[in-house]
Amino acid sequence: MNDDTVFRALADASRRQLLDRLHERSGQTLGELCQGLEMTRQAVTKHLAILEEANLISWQRQGRERLHFINPVPINEIAERWIGKFDRPRLSALSDLKKSLEGDDHD
């Protein structure tokens, strides 16, 4: 998956709100996702299409309705690739400090 597509999808607050709602309860219909939002059904549909293009959601047909599900894999991949590498030095420093304070620094 193209990171740019995922970042563009995540850049919009309305799409992040939809992802948050699917994180709370995956498997919602379009009507359920629209409840309580200050946007039209068509706008929600467009946002869902962008999230689907970025592989952040998937859907499954159940009767006449589509159930929408969050796909956390692309977000996890971004976390591992971009966020994780910036945390490594800090975590390593904390680990070294812990070992030093506990007297385990004779490696």
Side-chain angles (χ1 to χ4, degrees):
M1 175 54 49
N2 182 346
D3 285 351
D4 290 342
T5 305
V6 176
F7 280 118
R8 271 194 297 275
L10 293 173
D12 185 88
S14 296
R15 290 192 284 272
R16 291 191 307 271
Q17 184 179 22
L18 288 169
L19 287 173
D20 287 339
R21 295 179 105 191
L22 287 172
H23 179 261
E24 289 172 14
R25 189 172 64 82
S26 206
Q28 294 185 60
T29 64
L30 176 60
E32 291 170 327
L33 287 168
C34 289
Q35 289 176 359
L37 296 180
E38 294 183 14
M39 58 179 131
T40 65
R41 188 175 179 94
Q42 291 80 12
V44 172
T45 301
K46 287 181 181 182
H47 286 302
L48 290 173
I50 292 168
L51 291 170
E52 184 179 351
E53 181 182 329
N55 198 30
L56 291 166
I57 66 165
S58 61
W59 58 269
Q60 178 182 356
R61 188 163 295 283
Q62 183 177 14
R64 293 176 41 188
E65 297 181 314
R66 282 184 174 188
L67 301 180
H68 298 86
F69 300 90
I70 191 166
N71 177 13
V73 173
I75 294 171
N76 184 59
E77 289 173 348
I78 286 173
E80 286 179 351
R81 180 173 177 197
W82 295 100
I83 298 168
K85 70 181 174 186
F86 295 107
D87 277 344
R88 273 189 216 116
R90 184 170 33 140
L91 293 173
S92 179
L94 286 172
S95 176
D96 291 344
L97 177 62
K98 178 182 180 283
K99 288 177 184 175
S100 176
L101 292 173
E102 292 175 351
D104 291 340
D105 56 351
H106 43 268
D107 290 323

